[in-house]
Amino acid sequence: MWPVLVLAEKKLHIAMNTLIKLVLFSYVLISSVLPSSAQSCSNYAFASNKVFTTCSDLPYLDSFLYWTYNPSSQALQIAYRRTKIASSRWVAWAINPNATGMEGSQALIAFQQPDGTMKAYTSPVDTYSTLLQEGDLSFPVSDLSATFSSNEMIIFATLTLQNASVTSLNQVWQDGPVSGSNLGRHDINGNSILSMGTVNLLSGESTPTGGGGGAGGSGALSSKTKKRNVHGVLNAVSWGIMLPLGALIARYLKAFKSADPAWFYLHVTCQTSAYIIGIAGFATGLKLGSESPGIQFTAHRVIGILLFCLATLQVFALLLRPKKDHKYRFYWNLYHYAFGYMVIILSVVNIFKGFDILKPEKKWERAYTGIIVVLAILAAFLEAYTWYLVLKLKKSASAKKTPNGVNGRNGV
């Protein structure tokens, strides 16, 4: 009995040491993938307890945009937040239905009046020489208000868009001086002439279009879009390709005696690599989720968290793997196979859910679908061939038991 306890204690000690190393490695990996940012839309909580499904760090003028869009009602709830701003300045955020510049934009304006109260109003910008006079916009606006506190000015509004098919908007944001109740002209140099771009209400992608400078220049992918792409690639490669491939190695290569024990090391290497890469993909997913204050848990996120937990259990199960002749090996096999196939099925389902969210070019989804189809055909062929080998071995073993005739009796 004592040798068994000592062996179990040693295995537990090895498992704990490995767990600590994996946790430390994961912390370092996640820290490198998720750089901290003291000034980010995802780190901000509104004093009014308002929440929005999506937010974007605008590349110029220390500004941030938050929104919730309902495609069915075409209602767009927004909050434009300008930080590091004095009370003696006005701020504006606008949509331009027809162009990417200021002229023709439909603006929301806010400033602090001499008595300390905030004024928020709408102003159609018809020319570059505008005085930002109050007037109706080309679409209905409701719940318009503004706040100023701690050198931050925020505009809140609900817009009812007129074209349901348009989900990518041209946006402009700006600020300038205030004298009494008179709004002065904004700066016409530096970041003030770059503060324009496009925003996709569904994907959250925000792209600068002003002047070709700043954060990547015209047409550059936003930071959030890059994170989405990295997240998609890491997870498609790890959970969606390497894990199924590792399972194929374990199930079918071990049928060949010449592949033993090479198949086991290939299987462990493939699955462990997939797990490590998957941690990075999982981390980027957490970061993307944190950048949308108040966002609801979607099926994609829930499945992703479940996958991470199940895969982690699989890694630690490997450390406690009993020997082939151990009485608990049968139960360990059941657990390992059940969890393994569950992870693979959920992984493939979640990859396709990710495609629906990210909406990349169709060629990427077709390419992944092609890879899965090839793996499925290969699995079907190897499954049939494995059963052929098993039946052949059984037949051979049965023949060896009766070499001299039927029922093992000579001459009969």
Side-chain angles (χ1 to χ4, degrees), residues 65 67 69-72 74 76 95 161-171 198-206 359:
L65 181 66
W67 72 91
Y69 179 57
N70 186 336
S72 60
Q74 302 177 48
L76 174 64
I95 291 174
L161 305 180
Q162 302 297 303
N163 191 342
S165 63
V166 175
T167 58
S168 183
L169 302 176
N170 300 314
Q171 62 172 336
T198 61
V199 57
N200 190 300
L201 301 179
L202 297 180
S203 70
E205 178 182 347
S206 179
K359 299 186 185 302

Side-chain angles (χ1 to χ4, degrees), residues 39 52 77-78 82 136-137 144 160 168-169 214 217 222 230 242 262 278 282 287 303 309 314 340 390:
Q39 194 63 254
F52 299 87
Q77 293 178 299
I78 68 102
R82 171 67 158 91
D136 293 333
L137 304 186
L144 180 59
T160 303
S168 183
L169 302 176
S222 68
V230 170
M242 294 182 69
F282 178 72
K287 178 63 176 176
I303 294 175
C309 296
Q314 283 287 73
V390 169

Side-chain angles (χ1 to χ4, degrees), residues 54 75 80 98 122 139 144 161 164 167 172 183 186 190 227 251 253 299 330 340 343 347 368-369 385 400 403 411:
T54 315
Y80 168 72
N98 303 311
T122 59
F139 46 81
L144 180 59
L161 305 180
T167 58
V172 184
L183 278 57
H186 67 78
K227 289 175 186 174
R251 176 157 180 80
L253 281 188
F330 171 76
V343 167
S347 296
Y368 178 71
T369 303
Y385 187 68
K400 287 181 179 179

